[in-house]
Amino acid sequence: MDVDKALLVEVFGESSDGEDLEEEQSGFDNGSQPNYSWERIEEVKGLWLCTDFLSPQRQASLLSAIQDEGWFTEASYNQAMRFGDLPAWATELSASIRDVVLSSNNLDHGEDELCPFPLDLLWREPLFDQLIVNVYHPDEGICGHVDLMRFEDGIAIVSLESSCVMHFSSIEGTDSDIARTKVPVYLTPGSLVLMSGEARYQWKHEINRKPGFQKWEGEDIDQKRRTSVTLRKLRQIE
């Protein structure tokens, strides 16, 4: 087994026959489909949450693979960006996202508008070619923003370690009936957020982790270090 294959097996697991790594890392077993918990955020069109995307074991292995990259050897380093030539584990993470979307019951029934990711985005190659890994310490978050237009539609965010609440707010100029209203989304470790269409272009997203702001169902969230993995696709310049 070569080094890259060994790393992927460590992060995503190995299939029973030792050949079909892609199926195993996506949670498939002997042709059966897992029941991932997809939640459509009704207030924000194009925003979907999969709370059980990565098991605790796979979260730990993914964190180990990130650590092995050597990006965060100093306390002042809290962000790593890669364009085009992604690490092998990030390429497999992208493939896993595609497989999990394909497991959606809505997709099986041909309900394209109710699928977590539009099909024209799901089948592009590569699905993602830009990576950001961020490490946030307690009290550190992200200001409200819409991702740069240099990236195409369709963004994936995987959360690791500490839970948090991400808020979405409609930007000015939209036709939304709930413009300026903040929509909270609870991100647990191992969860996956997909943003496309209106969610990607017409809503800002932010995480305020300062004391008193991180609450869910009336309870304070215990803030620890949080790691996020964001995958995007660079827009082609014509």
Side-chain angles (χ1 to χ4, degrees):
M1 181 180 296
D2 58 32
V3 175
D4 286 344
K5 180 71 174 293
L7 175 60
L8 298 181
V9 169
E10 179 183 355
V11 175
F12 297 106
E14 185 171 21
S15 61
S16 58
D17 59 7
E19 296 179 355
D20 199 348
L21 176 62
E22 181 176 333
E23 288 190 359
E24 176 65 16
Q25 62 90 12
S26 303
F28 289 79
D29 183 17
N30 296 326
S32 63
Q33 289 188 341
N35 295 317
Y36 289 101
S37 300
W38 281 108
E39 178 185 355
R40 181 188 184 192
I41 310 302
E42 297 291 342
E43 300 93 334
V44 186
K45 186 177 181 180
L47 179 61
W48 289 78
L49 172 67
C50 182
T51 56
D52 52 359
F53 174 58
L54 292 178
S55 67
Q57 179 180 1
R58 290 177 178 175
Q59 293 171 48
S61 296
L62 181 55
L63 284 167
S64 178
I66 292 171
Q67 182 178 0
D68 288 345
E69 295 288 348
W71 292 332
F72 308 112
T73 54
E74 297 184 21
S76 59
Y77 297 165
N78 62 1
Q79 184 182 84
M81 303 180 69
R82 292 296 180 269
F83 296 84
D85 187 17
L86 302 185
W89 57 262
T91 300
E92 287 301 321
L93 186 64
S94 177
S96 182
I97 291 171
R98 175 179 283 152
D99 286 343
V100 172
V101 173
L102 288 173
S103 74
S104 167
N105 290 330
N106 291 328
L107 186 63
D108 292 340
H109 289 79
E111 301 177 52
D112 190 23
E113 292 187 358
L114 296 180
C115 292
F117 221 50
L119 293 181
D120 60 328
L121 302 182
L122 187 65
W123 292 115
R124 67 190 178 189
E125 290 294 346
L127 179 57
F128 303 109
D129 60 7
Q130 197 272 332
L131 165 73
I132 301 179
V133 179
N134 283 298
V135 175
Y136 301 99
H137 297 287
D139 300 344
E140 295 178 344
I142 53 176
C143 296
H145 70 283
V146 174
D147 283 44
L148 297 174
M149 295 300 109
R150 67 185 296 189
F151 301 106
E152 291 188 8
D153 194 7
I155 296 170
I157 302 174
V158 178
S159 291
L160 300 167
E161 298 183 284
S162 181
S163 297
C164 71
V165 178
M166 177 178 283
H167 284 93
F168 288 79
S169 56
S170 180
I171 64 176
E172 295 182 7
T174 69
D175 296 328
S176 172
D177 293 333
I178 52 175
R180 299 181 180 276
T181 298
K182 288 189 176 183
V183 178
V185 178
Y186 186 41
L187 306 183
T188 54
S191 64
L192 165 68
V193 167
L194 295 178
M195 295 183 286
S196 63
E198 290 186 15
R200 186 265 184 265
Y201 292 111
Q202 298 182 17
W203 290 78
K204 295 180 180 180
H205 56 281
E206 64 182 301
I207 299 175
N208 189 340
R209 299 217 305 167
K210 294 187 180 302
F213 283 88
Q214 281 293 304
K215 295 178 179 290
W216 188 251
E217 296 182 345
E219 299 292 332
D220 288 329
I221 298 175
D222 184 17
Q223 292 298 295
K224 299 182 176 67
R225 189 180 73 169
R226 174 177 178 265
T227 298
S228 70
V229 179
T230 300
L231 291 163
R232 303 181 289 196
K233 178 86 164 61
L234 284 166
R235 186 180 299 276
Q236 298 298 316
I237 301 176
E238 298 180 356

